[in-house]
Amino acid sequence: MNTKETTPEAFSLTEEEEIASILEHLPSDVEIQVEVPSRGKFYGSNFDETKVSVRPMSFEDEKAIITAQNDPSIDGANLLLSRCVQGLDVENLLLMDKLFLILKIRELSYGSEYKVMSLCSKCNAENKLSIELDKLINVNVPDDFTDPQEIDLPKIKKTCKVRMPRVTDEAYLTNPDKTLDQLWRFVPEIGGSKDKGVIAKVIKRLPISDLHTIINAVSNTEYGIQTEVKFICSTCSEHNAIALPITPNFFSPN
């Protein structure tokens, strides 16, 4: 009995079919929905918390970040957020939500394990740390939290309102001196006055304890990802506590 000879051409694939075959096990659901620490309470009535989606970095995203490193006017993290997050305006993003989303992108892209070196505070020895990003505690704001929030200034016996910083405010928080000079931007009202000129002059004349009450409210880390990392030095057994180190290599495999 004659059988029909099978030729290599019979099994030839188109380019797209070959690509699909190679990537047949590529996860199809790489985008996830998340709830940000602020729960979207301060993004306006059009915000839909069910539509904040995050996806892992792509080849093109990594290229964009590498290119951005040569342009000091571009914030690589903000660029990545604009590409990998949908449902939120990056410029209007609260900093507590920005940090949460950055860590989520890193986790989705390379896994939850983040390896980094840290020096011991006592003996200065280098310690290899392996941090599980998905194990970091995240604290959402409570139902009654407001922005701006009203706080008491005990020394002058007045109240003031302090708002949370957003991505557009980052330039005012680059160092302590600049933060002090620009602190008035985060205080929409003090002692009943909403005049920015009055507020700026009052802040400069506040007792130091009241001044730091405002600073502490602006830099509040009570909510969002809790970034304190504890470790015991492998050389001298000293107990250390550090802020999560986000190095230039944070968005690359380690």
Side-chain angles (χ1 to χ4, degrees):
M1 183 175 67
N2 292 331
T3 58
K4 185 177 179 181
E5 184 178 353
T6 303
T7 62
E9 287 75 21
F11 294 100
S12 64
L13 301 173
T14 66
E15 183 180 77
E16 283 304 314
E17 288 172 336
E18 186 173 4
I19 292 171
S21 176
I22 294 171
L23 298 177
E24 63 179 326
H25 299 302
L26 182 70
S28 58
D29 187 17
V30 294
E31 188 175 273
I32 65 169
Q33 306 294 313
V34 298
E35 180 183 63
V36 291
S38 71
R39 298 162 59 198
K41 286 168 59 67
F42 315 109
Y43 293 132
S45 58
N46 293 329
F47 174 77
D48 184 349
E49 66 183 50
T50 66
K51 293 183 179 178
V52 180
S53 60
V54 184
R55 65 165 176 80
M57 290 173 59
S58 68
F59 172 75
E60 292 299 327
D61 296 329
E62 187 167 38
K63 279 180 60 179
I65 290 179
I66 292 173
T67 301
Q69 290 175 352
N70 299 318
D71 187 343
S73 67
I74 299 177
D75 184 298
N78 291 342
L79 174 63
L80 188 62
L81 287 169
S82 69
R83 297 173 68 99
C84 296
V85 177
Q86 293 185 350
L88 284 172
D89 173 23
V90 173
E91 291 298 304
N92 193 40
L93 200 59
L94 291 165
L95 294 188
M96 71 167 77
D97 292 342
K98 173 182 175 176
L99 179 59
F100 171 85
L101 291 169
I102 285 174
L103 297 185
K104 187 58 65 176
I105 292 172
R106 173 59 169 75
E107 179 187 337
L108 290 175
S109 301
Y110 299 114
S112 62
E113 186 180 41
Y114 174 48
K115 296 180 180 178
V116 69
M117 301 295 292
S118 185
L119 298 179
C120 173
S121 60
K122 181 179 181 181
C123 71
N124 214 37
E126 281 194 331
N127 286 259
K128 295 180 180 179
L129 307 183
S130 181
I131 302 167
E132 294 293 331
L133 298 178
D134 61 341
K135 299 295 193 299
L136 295 175
I137 296 172
N138 179 54
V139 181
N140 288 346
V141 298
D143 288 334
D144 60 353
F145 190 83
T146 60
D147 183 45
Q149 57 179 312
E150 187 171 276
I151 61 173
D152 293 320
L153 302 176
K155 289 293 185 181
I156 65 169
K157 295 180 172 57
K158 301 288 183 180
T159 62
C160 77
K161 292 182 179 179
V162 179
R163 68 174 181 84
M164 293 184 288
R166 300 179 183 243
V167 167
T168 51
D169 299 313
E170 288 181 305
Y172 310 126
L173 302 170
T174 53
N175 60 66
D177 286 344
K178 182 170 287 189
T179 301
L180 285 173
D181 288 340
Q182 303 296 326
L183 196 58
W184 59 271
R185 295 179 181 274
F186 302 95
V187 182
E189 183 177 328
I190 189 167
S193 176
K194 298 180 181 180
D195 185 294
K196 287 297 183 183
V198 170
I199 292 171
K201 291 177 181 177
V202 167
I203 286 176
K204 290 182 178 180
R205 298 172 62 179
L206 285 176
I208 193 68
S209 59
D210 283 351
L211 182 65
H212 278 277
T213 297
I214 295 176
I215 293 173
N216 291 339
V218 171
S219 59
N220 187 350
T221 57
E222 181 179 358
Y223 305 111
I225 292 288
Q226 305 302 293
T227 58
E228 183 179 71
V229 176
K230 297 180 180 180
F231 70 93
I232 299 175
C233 178
S234 59
T235 300
C236 71
S237 299
E238 176 73 5
H239 288 251
N240 289 263
I242 60 170
L244 175 70
I246 299 182
T247 70
N249 296 323
F250 187 71
F251 289 111
S252 61
N254 53 33

